[in-house]
Amino acid sequence: QLQASGGGLVQAGGSLRLSCVASGLTFSYTGMGWFRQAPEKDRAFVAATPWSGGSTYYADSVKGRFTISRDNAKNTVYLQMNNLKPEDTAVYYCAAHSSGVYYYTSSYNSWGQGTLVTVSS
């Protein structure tokens, strides 16, 4: 089970930190990802971190602004979002990676309930 939190309303240029607490899985050996879904759009990859804590992956649209990190002791993955833009407005989902390329939704087998981020201009 994945429980995401931290969404809210923020002005453009502001920051938010999303958290996702995992239970029922071996978190230390599970890659984690963040996706987002804007109204009337498909769910899109945002960022991912492998279980090994090595390289991280980002969508081009968030590189340099968002940072994904994990705390295995707390079974938690974070998404620090800085310099937010109105186009970042979406429901953000955390997901547990099962296999395959990190950028694809089909590579994940467990999803959180989503947390809404709204960025006003």
Side-chain angles (χ1 to χ4, degrees):
Q1 184 177 1
L2 302 176
Q3 183 73 34
S5 62
L9 174 64
V10 63
Q11 288 187 331
S15 298
L16 283 174
R17 188 176 80 156
L18 306 184
S19 300
C20 175
V21 180
S23 61
L25 53 83
T26 308
F27 184 80
S28 298
Y29 293 99
T30 303
M32 298 296 297
W34 286 97
F35 287 75
R36 66 187 181 186
Q37 188 165 17
E40 301 182 357
K41 291 190 175 181
D42 292 335
R43 195 168 296 189
F45 172 77
V46 175
T49 174
W51 68 268
S52 61
S55 297
T56 51
Y57 306 93
Y58 297 94
D60 288 344
S61 59
V62 307
K63 280 180 182 176
R65 301 188 298 123
F66 291 11
T67 303
I68 188 171
S69 61
R70 62 190 297 155
D71 184 339
N72 289 342
K74 296 182 178 179
N75 281 11
T76 301
V77 61
Y78 303 98
L79 185 69
Q80 177 67 43
M81 306 185 295
N82 298 328
N83 190 22
L84 282 160
K85 304 176 181 181
E87 52 263 43
D88 295 319
T89 295
V91 176
Y92 284 72
Y93 298 89
C94 58
H97 182 257
S98 56
S99 63
V101 178
Y102 282 100
Y103 304 102
Y104 301 147
T105 57
S106 59
S107 299
Y108 297 78
N109 61 0
S110 183
W111 293 82
Q113 84 288 1
T115 185
L116 176 63
V117 173
T118 304
V119 184
S120 63
S121 57

